[in-house]
Amino acid sequence: ALWCLMMSVTPTRGCLLDLPWEDILVPHILCHLPLQQLLSLQRVSKSFQSLIQLYLANMRCFDSSQIGPAIPRAAFVNLLKDNEVLQQLALQNCSDWLTDRELLPVIGQNHHLHHIQLKGCAQLSRHALVAISLSCPNLRQLSLAHCEWVDSLSLRSLADHCKALEAVDLTACRQLKDEAICYLVQKCSRLKSLSLAVNANVGDVAVEETAKCCPELEHLDLTGCLRVKNDSIRVLAEYCPKLRSLKVKHCHNVAESSLSILRSRGVELDVEPPLQRALVLLQDVVGFAPFINLQI
């Protein structure tokens, strides 16, 4: 209904644009419209274009997925060129073209960001993470899943400057080893959620240090961390009383003997069913998996 009202205004009638822009339209009306519709609204008139530009400059949250399956590079640059008050930035649909050249100006002029989502943005570099660490001291949540450009030096910069971090997703950041994870958790002891999934370089040292440094930890994802063993899971159970979920699927060296402690506390566990685990171990030993229908 609001959209129809905006599109049907005429110069001879009371116009929505007569309302105070910064006090009423931007904070109380436009914020309820999807971003894609707001961009279309710019084409109604020059006045609406000015209004939307004002809205974009004062926008607190930008999520590229609201615009559609893909956002053009030029559109992204234009949308955020005047914004210095962003608090949340999610760039899931920009991996085909997003580089440091487009991202760094946005990061550099927005020092209030506390949520950043860069999952799958493979064309960025370590300079992007360094820029985030220097510009966003209040950062609380950061997703770098499948960003293989993340290295130990850039992660150290993040740990040194963003000590308020509560959730970090490092899924498939395969350059990272135990030492880098240890440095992160030592500096960022407020972590409540951490994903180290799909990283064969992460082992017991990182998990034990995480347990000892992050007593507030609630969620830990170790899916596919093949070097993680029972001992570190026991340390996790001892030092993390607030743990609510643990993912250890495909961690073939983690057994029920260590998981039972967490299971008895009601921790949600994501682990292979016993039969599937046995088949995987058999495959490791003899080099092939017997043909068995696991769904029977």
Side-chain angles (χ1 to χ4, degrees):
L2 178 59
W3 175 249
C4 294
L5 174 63
M6 287 183 167
M7 296 299 289
S8 63
V9 293
T10 65
T12 60
R13 298 162 56 189
C15 180
L16 190 70
L17 294 174
D18 292 337
L19 294 172
W21 288 17
E22 295 189 24
D23 296 332
I24 301 296
L25 292 182
V26 170
H28 298 295
I29 296 181
L30 296 187
C31 62
H32 297 290
L33 290 177
L35 185 57
Q36 191 169 20
Q37 291 187 355
L38 288 173
L39 299 181
S40 299
L41 189 59
Q42 290 187 104
R43 298 193 290 268
V44 174
S45 68
K46 289 184 178 181
S47 295
F48 271 111
Q49 183 179 17
S50 298
L51 173 61
I52 301 307
Q53 288 298 321
L54 177 64
Y55 172 81
L56 293 173
N58 289 274
M59 186 168 49
R60 299 298 198 272
C61 177
F62 180 82
D63 186 344
S64 61
S65 65
Q66 293 182 4
I67 299 178
I71 172 176
R73 183 198 313 257
F76 170 78
V77 173
N78 184 62
L79 288 173
L80 296 180
K81 61 183 175 62
D82 299 322
N83 193 303
E84 298 180 358
V85 294
L86 273 181
Q87 296 179 0
Q88 300 182 42
L89 179 63
L91 301 174
Q92 301 97 319
N93 300 332
C94 309
S95 58
D96 291 341
W97 54 264
L98 185 68
T99 67
D100 293 354
R101 182 177 180 179
E102 293 80 29
L103 181 63
L104 264 57
V106 176
I107 297 298
Q109 67 192 32
N110 284 282
H111 305 294
H112 303 289
L113 281 164
H114 52 73
H115 287 59
I116 299 179
Q117 163 69 266
L118 296 175
K119 180 179 179 180
C121 294
Q123 297 191 53
L124 297 174
S125 77
R126 61 183 301 272
H127 300 295
L129 186 52
V130 172
I132 289 171
S133 65
L134 296 177
S135 297
C136 309
N138 300 315
L139 191 65
R140 296 202 302 270
Q141 294 188 20
L142 176 64
S143 174
L144 298 168
H146 302 282
C147 293
E148 297 196 23
W149 45 266
V150 177
D151 61 11
S152 59
L153 289 177
S154 58
L155 194 69
R156 287 175 72 93
S157 179
L158 180 74
D160 285 335
H161 296 94
C162 299
K163 294 183 173 62
L165 278 168
E166 296 179 356
V168 180
D169 188 346
L170 298 172
T171 298
C173 293
R174 294 186 176 91
Q175 288 196 57
L176 300 178
K177 298 181 180 180
D178 281 348
E179 295 78 7
I181 304 303
C182 289
Y183 192 87
L184 173 70
V185 298
Q186 288 165 3
K187 296 287 186 175
C188 302
S189 58
R190 301 180 189 178
L191 281 175
K192 295 181 179 180
S193 177
L194 177 64
S195 176
L196 305 173
V198 198
N199 191 335
N201 293 317
V202 170
D204 286 343
V205 173
V207 176
E208 292 181 14
E209 194 67 13
T210 299
K212 293 175 181 178
C213 295
C214 303
E216 302 297 315
L217 192 68
E218 297 178 2
H219 307 283
L220 180 61
D221 190 348
L222 301 173
T223 302
C225 293
L226 303 178
R227 295 176 54 226
V228 173
K229 300 181 179 65
N230 278 325
D231 289 345
S232 62
I233 302 302
R234 293 191 182 97
V235 173
L236 192 68
E238 179 180 356
Y239 283 88
C240 296
K242 297 183 179 181
L243 194 67
R244 295 166 52 192
S245 70
L246 173 65
K247 296 183 178 182
V248 286
K249 186 172 286 186
H250 309 305
C251 297
H252 306 319
N253 295 310
V254 175
E256 183 62 28
S257 58
S258 60
L259 294 175
S260 60
I261 305 172
L262 295 170
R263 197 185 300 278
S264 65
R265 283 172 23 194
V267 176
E268 180 182 347
L269 300 176
D270 183 18
V271 62
E272 292 105 336
L275 178 56
Q276 184 176 345
R277 176 182 289 268
L279 291 177
V280 171
L281 293 175
L282 180 61
Q283 182 179 8
D284 291 341
V285 173
V286 303
F288 69 94
F291 179 77
I292 298 178
N293 186 349
L294 296 178
Q295 297 183 2
I296 296 178

